[in-house]
Amino acid sequence: MSSSEVPAKRQKSAKDVPYNLIYWPGLPGRGEHIRLVLEEAGAEYTDTAHTEGGIDEVLAYIKGDKPDDGSNLPVCAPPILRHGDLTINQTPNILLYLGHRLGLIPDSETDPDGLYRVNELVLTALDGLSNEPHDCHHPIAVGLYYEDQKEESKRRSEDYVKNRLPKFLGYFERVLNSKASEDGPWLCGGKLTYADLVLFQCIDGVEFMFPKAMAKAEKSGKYAKVFALHEAVKERPKIKAYLESDRRQKYSNGIYRYYEELDIEG
């Protein structure tokens, strides 16, 4: 999980110590966006998904068993990032923190507002290609089993594949064709940012969940640059090595789930 290669723009401070990711073991989930950023940057980090007793640390945070240190707020849910004396949660918040520190944002001197554009892309991807797919298999309540809401899940998935998925794929294709993207292959400013890694993971997850719909979308040619970005990220040396390692967990009962009855072509 570590490398001697460090991005040129990496921000160093007294917190230049390993990152600690606190997330559920057994599924990629929302923690995967954070892992991809850390892996691409060659950052040193620990991950409770791969440490003995890691689940106990996750539960300690959720239950409020961690002592109040007078500085950090109580966290609501994982993913959680601990770095030095800082503890934060919420996926976009953690990505915002890491993207700046690890040099995965536009150059702040030449594009001081670039960070906000990257954050905008990330929030859109997480809304439409992560949160909405999750709601396809849990449209009524997260506390119910999928089997308790199968009929509603089918209706929600049909609408998502027909209306919502093309909307978000089309949006990111427009971004990649825009002057601000500098005509791709990356989303913003002609260089890889953490938004590209987030979009990669979202596309990858939706391909697992709705393979027929995504195969049809790719074959249509309407979203060629979106699928090209997915392939470009997959082939980056550090990401490729990570995806081939046992650190990359398989999809299971997380955000992206495969149910044959929901595998709709659209």
Side-chain angles (χ1 to χ4, degrees), residues 153-179:
S153 296
K154 182 73 178 296
R155 291 183 62 191
R156 182 67 175 262
S157 297
E158 288 172 346
D159 180 73
Y160 180 77
V161 165
K162 180 180 179 180
N163 298 308
R164 303 296 288 171
L165 180 58
K167 172 186 174 70
F168 288 100
L169 292 178
Y171 167 72
F172 283 107
E173 187 73 13
R174 294 203 326 268
V175 171
L176 287 163
N177 281 309
S178 70
K179 292 180 180 178

PDB file of all heavy atoms in Angstrom, residues 153-179:
ATOM      1  N   SER A 153     -38.521  -2.595  -5.971  1.00  0.00           N
ATOM      2  CA  SER A 153     -37.167  -2.561  -6.521  1.00  0.00           C
ATOM      3  C   SER A 153     -37.191  -2.724  -8.032  1.00  0.00           C
ATOM      4  O   SER A 153     -36.431  -2.064  -8.756  1.00  0.00           O
ATOM      5  CB  SER A 153     -36.318  -3.674  -5.901  1.00  0.00           C
ATOM      6  OG  SER A 153     -36.153  -3.464  -4.515  1.00  0.00           O
ATOM      7  N   LYS A 154     -38.034  -3.602  -8.515  1.00  0.00           N
ATOM      8  CA  LYS A 154     -38.145  -3.816  -9.964  1.00  0.00           C
ATOM      9  C   LYS A 154     -38.620  -2.540 -10.655  1.00  0.00           C
ATOM     10  O   LYS A 154     -38.055  -2.125 -11.683  1.00  0.00           O
ATOM     11  CB  LYS A 154     -39.109  -4.967 -10.236  1.00  0.00           C
ATOM     12  CG  LYS A 154     -39.267  -5.320 -11.707  1.00  0.00           C
ATOM     13  CD  LYS A 154     -38.055  -6.018 -12.248  1.00  0.00           C
ATOM     14  CE  LYS A 154     -38.222  -6.427 -13.711  1.00  0.00           C
ATOM     15  NZ  LYS A 154     -39.298  -7.435 -13.890  1.00  0.00           N
ATOM     16  N   ARG A 155     -39.614  -1.893 -10.098  1.00  0.00           N
ATOM     17  CA  ARG A 155     -40.127  -0.653 -10.683  1.00  0.00           C
ATOM     18  C   ARG A 155     -39.064   0.439 -10.651  1.00  0.00           C
ATOM     19  O   ARG A 155     -38.879   1.174 -11.620  1.00  0.00           O
ATOM     20  CB  ARG A 155     -41.381  -0.192  -9.942  1.00  0.00           C
ATOM     21  CG  ARG A 155     -42.596  -1.078 -10.140  1.00  0.00           C
ATOM     22  CD  ARG A 155     -43.799  -0.506  -9.426  1.00  0.00           C
ATOM     23  NE  ARG A 155     -44.171   0.809  -9.957  1.00  0.00           N
ATOM     24  CZ  ARG A 155     -45.054   1.626  -9.371  1.00  0.00           C
ATOM     25  NH1 ARG A 155     -45.609   1.271  -8.221  1.00  0.00           N
ATOM     26  NH2 ARG A 155     -45.339   2.785  -9.921  1.00  0.00           N
ATOM     27  N   ARG A 156     -38.383   0.543  -9.524  1.00  0.00           N
ATOM     28  CA  ARG A 156     -37.352   1.568  -9.395  1.00  0.00           C
ATOM     29  C   ARG A 156     -36.203   1.314 -10.376  1.00  0.00           C
ATOM     30  O   ARG A 156     -35.689   2.247 -10.999  1.00  0.00           O
ATOM     31  CB  ARG A 156     -36.822   1.593  -7.959  1.00  0.00           C
ATOM     32  CG  ARG A 156     -35.760   2.662  -7.671  1.00  0.00           C
ATOM     33  CD  ARG A 156     -36.343   4.075  -7.770  1.00  0.00           C
ATOM     34  NE  ARG A 156     -35.362   5.069  -7.389  1.00  0.00           N
ATOM     35  CZ  ARG A 156     -35.283   5.634  -6.174  1.00  0.00           C
ATOM     36  NH1 ARG A 156     -36.132   5.255  -5.219  1.00  0.00           N
ATOM     37  NH2 ARG A 156     -34.390   6.548  -5.911  1.00  0.00           N
ATOM     38  N   SER A 157     -35.803   0.076 -10.518  1.00  0.00           N
ATOM     39  CA  SER A 157     -34.712  -0.261 -11.431  1.00  0.00           C
ATOM     40  C   SER A 157     -35.094   0.004 -12.879  1.00  0.00           C
ATOM     41  O   SER A 157     -34.268   0.486 -13.672  1.00  0.00           O
ATOM     42  CB  SER A 157     -34.317  -1.734 -11.245  1.00  0.00           C
ATOM     43  OG  SER A 157     -33.816  -1.961  -9.954  1.00  0.00           O
ATOM     44  N   GLU A 158     -36.317  -0.312 -13.244  1.00  0.00           N
ATOM     45  CA  GLU A 158     -36.776  -0.047 -14.613  1.00  0.00           C
ATOM     46  C   GLU A 158     -36.708   1.439 -14.929  1.00  0.00           C
ATOM     47  O   GLU A 158     -36.259   1.843 -16.008  1.00  0.00           O
ATOM     48  CB  GLU A 158     -38.206  -0.573 -14.795  1.00  0.00           C
ATOM     49  CG  GLU A 158     -38.290  -2.090 -14.849  1.00  0.00           C
ATOM     50  CD  GLU A 158     -39.719  -2.599 -14.830  1.00  0.00           C
ATOM     51  OE1 GLU A 158     -40.645  -1.801 -14.509  1.00  0.00           O
ATOM     52  OE2 GLU A 158     -39.924  -3.796 -15.116  1.00  0.00           O
ATOM     53  N   ASP A 159     -37.150   2.255 -13.990  1.00  0.00           N
ATOM     54  CA  ASP A 159     -37.094   3.702 -14.201  1.00  0.00           C
ATOM     55  C   ASP A 159     -35.659   4.199 -14.239  1.00  0.00           C
ATOM     56  O   ASP A 159     -35.315   5.061 -15.064  1.00  0.00           O
ATOM     57  CB  ASP A 159     -37.869   4.427 -13.098  1.00  0.00           C
ATOM     58  CG  ASP A 159     -37.839   5.932 -13.281  1.00  0.00           C
ATOM     59  OD1 ASP A 159     -38.521   6.439 -14.188  1.00  0.00           O
ATOM     60  OD2 ASP A 159     -37.092   6.609 -12.525  1.00  0.00           O
ATOM     61  N   TYR A 160     -34.820   3.668 -13.365  1.00  0.00           N
ATOM     62  CA  TYR A 160     -33.420   4.104 -13.331  1.00  0.00           C
ATOM     63  C   TYR A 160     -32.726   3.796 -14.649  1.00  0.00           C
ATOM     64  O   TYR A 160     -32.056   4.659 -15.225  1.00  0.00           O
ATOM     65  CB  TYR A 160     -32.681   3.425 -12.182  1.00  0.00           C
ATOM     66  CG  TYR A 160     -31.226   3.836 -12.108  1.00  0.00           C
ATOM     67  CD1 TYR A 160     -30.863   5.081 -11.584  1.00  0.00           C
ATOM     68  CD2 TYR A 160     -30.218   3.013 -12.603  1.00  0.00           C
ATOM     69  CE1 TYR A 160     -29.533   5.485 -11.553  1.00  0.00           C
ATOM     70  CE2 TYR A 160     -28.892   3.411 -12.565  1.00  0.00           C
ATOM     71  CZ  TYR A 160     -28.555   4.643 -12.043  1.00  0.00           C
ATOM     72  OH  TYR A 160     -27.241   5.048 -12.021  1.00  0.00           O
ATOM     73  N   VAL A 161     -32.868   2.584 -15.123  1.00  0.00           N
ATOM     74  CA  VAL A 161     -32.193   2.179 -16.353  1.00  0.00           C
ATOM     75  C   VAL A 161     -32.722   2.958 -17.558  1.00  0.00           C
ATOM     76  O   VAL A 161     -31.954   3.345 -18.444  1.00  0.00           O
ATOM     77  CB  VAL A 161     -32.361   0.658 -16.557  1.00  0.00           C
ATOM     78  CG1 VAL A 161     -31.997   0.254 -17.973  1.00  0.00           C
ATOM     79  CG2 VAL A 161     -31.512  -0.094 -15.546  1.00  0.00           C
ATOM     80  N   LYS A 162     -34.008   3.211 -17.574  1.00  0.00           N
ATOM     81  CA  LYS A 162     -34.613   3.898 -18.714  1.00  0.00           C
ATOM     82  C   LYS A 162     -34.349   5.403 -18.706  1.00  0.00           C
ATOM     83  O   LYS A 162     -34.070   6.001 -19.759  1.00  0.00           O
ATOM     84  CB  LYS A 162     -36.126   3.650 -18.721  1.00  0.00           C
ATOM     85  CG  LYS A 162     -36.843   4.337 -19.875  1.00  0.00           C
ATOM     86  CD  LYS A 162     -38.339   4.063 -19.828  1.00  0.00           C
ATOM     87  CE  LYS A 162     -39.068   4.776 -20.981  1.00  0.00           C
ATOM     88  NZ  LYS A 162     -40.539   4.509 -20.935  1.00  0.00           N
ATOM     89  N   ASN A 163     -34.400   6.029 -17.529  1.00  0.00           N
ATOM     90  CA  ASN A 163     -34.366   7.493 -17.461  1.00  0.00           C
ATOM     91  C   ASN A 163     -33.141   8.078 -16.763  1.00  0.00           C
ATOM     92  O   ASN A 163     -32.514   9.005 -17.275  1.00  0.00           O
ATOM     93  CB  ASN A 163     -35.631   7.996 -16.751  1.00  0.00           C
ATOM     94  CG  ASN A 163     -36.894   7.633 -17.496  1.00  0.00           C
ATOM     95  OD1 ASN A 163     -37.017   7.896 -18.683  1.00  0.00           O
ATOM     96  ND2 ASN A 163     -37.840   7.003 -16.807  1.00  0.00           N
ATOM     97  N   ARG A 164     -32.816   7.557 -15.610  1.00  0.00           N
ATOM     98  CA  ARG A 164     -31.771   8.188 -14.811  1.00  0.00           C
ATOM     99  C   ARG A 164     -30.362   7.830 -15.277  1.00  0.00           C
ATOM    100  O   ARG A 164     -29.478   8.691 -15.342  1.00  0.00           O
ATOM    101  CB  ARG A 164     -31.945   7.814 -13.340  1.00  0.00           C
ATOM    102  CG  ARG A 164     -33.304   8.170 -12.774  1.00  0.00           C
ATOM    103  CD  ARG A 164     -33.526   9.660 -12.763  1.00  0.00           C
ATOM    104  NE  ARG A 164     -32.707  10.305 -11.743  1.00  0.00           N
ATOM    105  CZ  ARG A 164     -32.575  11.624 -11.621  1.00  0.00           C
ATOM    106  NH1 ARG A 164     -33.165  12.439 -12.489  1.00  0.00           N
ATOM    107  NH2 ARG A 164     -31.823  12.134 -10.656  1.00  0.00           N
ATOM    108  N   LEU A 165     -30.119   6.578 -15.588  1.00  0.00           N
ATOM    109  CA  LEU A 165     -28.791   6.167 -16.029  1.00  0.00           C
ATOM    110  C   LEU A 165     -28.349   6.907 -17.289  1.00  0.00           C
ATOM    111  O   LEU A 165     -27.228   7.452 -17.321  1.00  0.00           O
ATOM    112  CB  LEU A 165     -28.757   4.648 -16.236  1.00  0.00           C
ATOM    113  CG  LEU A 165     -27.422   4.060 -16.694  1.00  0.00           C
ATOM    114  CD1 LEU A 165     -26.301   4.387 -15.717  1.00  0.00           C
ATOM    115  CD2 LEU A 165     -27.555   2.537 -16.873  1.00  0.00           C
ATOM    116  N   PRO A 166     -29.185   6.989 -18.335  1.00  0.00           N
ATOM    117  CA  PRO A 166     -28.771   7.767 -19.518  1.00  0.00           C
ATOM    118  C   PRO A 166     -28.521   9.237 -19.196  1.00  0.00           C
ATOM    119  O   PRO A 166     -27.636   9.859 -19.806  1.00  0.00           O
ATOM    120  CB  PRO A 166     -29.960   7.608 -20.479  1.00  0.00           C
ATOM    121  CG  PRO A 166     -30.664   6.375 -20.027  1.00  0.00           C
ATOM    122  CD  PRO A 166     -30.488   6.316 -18.547  1.00  0.00           C
ATOM    123  N   LYS A 167     -29.274   9.797 -18.257  1.00  0.00           N
ATOM    124  CA  LYS A 167     -29.079  11.198 -17.877  1.00  0.00           C
ATOM    125  C   LYS A 167     -27.667  11.423 -17.349  1.00  0.00           C
ATOM    126  O   LYS A 167     -26.973  12.365 -17.762  1.00  0.00           O
ATOM    127  CB  LYS A 167     -30.105  11.590 -16.809  1.00  0.00           C
ATOM    128  CG  LYS A 167     -29.887  12.969 -16.191  1.00  0.00           C
ATOM    129  CD  LYS A 167     -30.863  13.198 -15.050  1.00  0.00           C
ATOM    130  CE  LYS A 167     -30.573  14.502 -14.314  1.00  0.00           C
ATOM    131  NZ  LYS A 167     -30.891  15.691 -15.117  1.00  0.00           N
ATOM    132  N   PHE A 168     -27.212  10.560 -16.442  1.00  0.00           N
ATOM    133  CA  PHE A 168     -25.899  10.767 -15.820  1.00  0.00           C
ATOM    134  C   PHE A 168     -24.758  10.356 -16.745  1.00  0.00           C
ATOM    135  O   PHE A 168     -23.714  11.026 -16.769  1.00  0.00           O
ATOM    136  CB  PHE A 168     -25.837  10.039 -14.479  1.00  0.00           C
ATOM    137  CG  PHE A 168     -26.666  10.710 -13.421  1.00  0.00           C
ATOM    138  CD1 PHE A 168     -27.925  10.237 -13.087  1.00  0.00           C
ATOM    139  CD2 PHE A 168     -26.200  11.855 -12.780  1.00  0.00           C
ATOM    140  CE1 PHE A 168     -28.698  10.869 -12.129  1.00  0.00           C
ATOM    141  CE2 PHE A 168     -26.963  12.502 -11.823  1.00  0.00           C
ATOM    142  CZ  PHE A 168     -28.218  12.009 -11.492  1.00  0.00           C
ATOM    143  N   LEU A 169     -24.933   9.287 -17.509  1.00  0.00           N
ATOM    144  CA  LEU A 169     -23.911   8.942 -18.490  1.00  0.00           C
ATOM    145  C   LEU A 169     -23.772  10.061 -19.517  1.00  0.00           C
ATOM    146  O   LEU A 169     -22.661  10.434 -19.905  1.00  0.00           O
ATOM    147  CB  LEU A 169     -24.266   7.628 -19.188  1.00  0.00           C
ATOM    148  CG  LEU A 169     -24.231   6.356 -18.344  1.00  0.00           C
ATOM    149  CD1 LEU A 169     -24.661   5.158 -19.182  1.00  0.00           C
ATOM    150  CD2 LEU A 169     -22.850   6.121 -17.750  1.00  0.00           C
ATOM    151  N   GLY A 170     -24.908  10.603 -19.938  1.00  0.00           N
ATOM    152  CA  GLY A 170     -24.890  11.697 -20.908  1.00  0.00           C
ATOM    153  C   GLY A 170     -24.244  12.949 -20.358  1.00  0.00           C
ATOM    154  O   GLY A 170     -23.521  13.663 -21.075  1.00  0.00           O
ATOM    155  N   TYR A 171     -24.474  13.218 -19.081  1.00  0.00           N
ATOM    156  CA  TYR A 171     -23.858  14.398 -18.477  1.00  0.00           C
ATOM    157  C   TYR A 171     -22.341  14.276 -18.490  1.00  0.00           C
ATOM    158  O   TYR A 171     -21.628  15.213 -18.883  1.00  0.00           O
ATOM    159  CB  TYR A 171     -24.354  14.587 -17.042  1.00  0.00           C
ATOM    160  CG  TYR A 171     -23.504  15.592 -16.289  1.00  0.00           C
ATOM    161  CD1 TYR A 171     -23.581  16.953 -16.585  1.00  0.00           C
ATOM    162  CD2 TYR A 171     -22.589  15.172 -15.324  1.00  0.00           C
ATOM    163  CE1 TYR A 171     -22.778  17.878 -15.936  1.00  0.00           C
ATOM    164  CE2 TYR A 171     -21.785  16.094 -14.671  1.00  0.00           C
ATOM    165  CZ  TYR A 171     -21.881  17.435 -14.980  1.00  0.00           C
ATOM    166  OH  TYR A 171     -21.071  18.336 -14.350  1.00  0.00           O
ATOM    167  N   PHE A 172     -21.830  13.141 -18.065  1.00  0.00           N
ATOM    168  CA  PHE A 172     -20.370  12.996 -18.006  1.00  0.00           C
ATOM    169  C   PHE A 172     -19.755  12.927 -19.401  1.00  0.00           C
ATOM    170  O   PHE A 172     -18.605  13.349 -19.596  1.00  0.00           O
ATOM    171  CB  PHE A 172     -19.992  11.788 -17.153  1.00  0.00           C
ATOM    172  CG  PHE A 172     -20.122  12.064 -15.684  1.00  0.00           C
ATOM    173  CD1 PHE A 172     -21.156  11.511 -14.939  1.00  0.00           C
ATOM    174  CD2 PHE A 172     -19.234  12.909 -15.041  1.00  0.00           C
ATOM    175  CE1 PHE A 172     -21.291  11.793 -13.588  1.00  0.00           C
ATOM    176  CE2 PHE A 172     -19.358  13.205 -13.687  1.00  0.00           C
ATOM    177  CZ  PHE A 172     -20.384  12.642 -12.961  1.00  0.00           C
ATOM    178  N   GLU A 173     -20.502  12.441 -20.374  1.00  0.00           N
ATOM    179  CA  GLU A 173     -20.009  12.498 -21.756  1.00  0.00           C
ATOM    180  C   GLU A 173     -19.893  13.953 -22.222  1.00  0.00           C
ATOM    181  O   GLU A 173     -18.913  14.326 -22.875  1.00  0.00           O
ATOM    182  CB  GLU A 173     -20.949  11.717 -22.678  1.00  0.00           C
ATOM    183  CG  GLU A 173     -20.447  11.565 -24.101  1.00  0.00           C
ATOM    184  CD  GLU A 173     -19.296  10.578 -24.243  1.00  0.00           C
ATOM    185  OE1 GLU A 173     -19.024   9.811 -23.285  1.00  0.00           O
ATOM    186  OE2 GLU A 173     -18.660  10.567 -25.324  1.00  0.00           O
ATOM    187  N   ARG A 174     -20.859  14.781 -21.835  1.00  0.00           N
ATOM    188  CA  ARG A 174     -20.787  16.213 -22.173  1.00  0.00           C
ATOM    189  C   ARG A 174     -19.589  16.868 -21.509  1.00  0.00           C
ATOM    190  O   ARG A 174     -18.893  17.699 -22.110  1.00  0.00           O
ATOM    191  CB  ARG A 174     -22.068  16.936 -21.753  1.00  0.00           C
ATOM    192  CG  ARG A 174     -23.295  16.502 -22.504  1.00  0.00           C
ATOM    193  CD  ARG A 174     -24.416  17.539 -22.527  1.00  0.00           C
ATOM    194  NE  ARG A 174     -24.544  18.346 -21.336  1.00  0.00           N
ATOM    195  CZ  ARG A 174     -25.321  18.062 -20.298  1.00  0.00           C
ATOM    196  NH1 ARG A 174     -26.013  16.931 -20.293  1.00  0.00           N
ATOM    197  NH2 ARG A 174     -25.421  18.866 -19.270  1.00  0.00           N
ATOM    198  N   VAL A 175     -19.345  16.509 -20.256  1.00  0.00           N
ATOM    199  CA  VAL A 175     -18.189  17.053 -19.546  1.00  0.00           C
ATOM    200  C   VAL A 175     -16.903  16.696 -20.283  1.00  0.00           C
ATOM    201  O   VAL A 175     -16.019  17.544 -20.491  1.00  0.00           O
ATOM    202  CB  VAL A 175     -18.140  16.531 -18.097  1.00  0.00           C
ATOM    203  CG1 VAL A 175     -16.816  16.910 -17.434  1.00  0.00           C
ATOM    204  CG2 VAL A 175     -19.307  17.084 -17.282  1.00  0.00           C
ATOM    205  N   LEU A 176     -16.785  15.444 -20.689  1.00  0.00           N
ATOM    206  CA  LEU A 176     -15.564  14.989 -21.356  1.00  0.00           C
ATOM    207  C   LEU A 176     -15.386  15.599 -22.738  1.00  0.00           C
ATOM    208  O   LEU A 176     -14.272  15.630 -23.272  1.00  0.00           O
ATOM    209  CB  LEU A 176     -15.560  13.457 -21.439  1.00  0.00           C
ATOM    210  CG  LEU A 176     -15.307  12.750 -20.103  1.00  0.00           C
ATOM    211  CD1 LEU A 176     -15.727  11.286 -20.165  1.00  0.00           C
ATOM    212  CD2 LEU A 176     -13.848  12.874 -19.696  1.00  0.00           C
ATOM    213  N   ASN A 177     -16.459  16.090 -23.310  1.00  0.00           N
ATOM    214  CA  ASN A 177     -16.385  16.763 -24.609  1.00  0.00           C
ATOM    215  C   ASN A 177     -16.242  18.282 -24.480  1.00  0.00           C
ATOM    216  O   ASN A 177     -16.152  18.985 -25.481  1.00  0.00           O
ATOM    217  CB  ASN A 177     -17.631  16.449 -25.439  1.00  0.00           C
ATOM    218  CG  ASN A 177     -17.559  15.084 -26.090  1.00  0.00           C
ATOM    219  OD1 ASN A 177     -16.579  14.749 -26.758  1.00  0.00           O
ATOM    220  ND2 ASN A 177     -18.582  14.277 -25.889  1.00  0.00           N
ATOM    221  N   SER A 178     -16.208  18.771 -23.252  1.00  0.00           N
ATOM    222  CA  SER A 178     -16.188  20.212 -23.023  1.00  0.00           C
ATOM    223  C   SER A 178     -14.779  20.782 -23.095  1.00  0.00           C
ATOM    224  O   SER A 178     -13.782  20.071 -22.937  1.00  0.00           O
ATOM    225  CB  SER A 178     -16.797  20.541 -21.657  1.00  0.00           C
ATOM    226  OG  SER A 178     -15.931  20.109 -20.613  1.00  0.00           O
ATOM    227  N   LYS A 179     -14.694  22.076 -23.312  1.00  0.00           N
ATOM    228  CA  LYS A 179     -13.395  22.749 -23.335  1.00  0.00           C
ATOM    229  C   LYS A 179     -12.734  22.704 -21.963  1.00  0.00           C
ATOM    230  O   LYS A 179     -11.509  22.642 -21.857  1.00  0.00           O
ATOM    231  CB  LYS A 179     -13.567  24.194 -23.796  1.00  0.00           C
ATOM    232  CG  LYS A 179     -13.988  24.327 -25.256  1.00  0.00           C
ATOM    233  CD  LYS A 179     -14.145  25.783 -25.656  1.00  0.00           C
ATOM    234  CE  LYS A 179     -14.572  25.904 -27.119  1.00  0.00           C
ATOM    235  NZ  LYS A 179     -14.765  27.334 -27.508  1.00  0.00           N
TER     236      LYS A 179
END
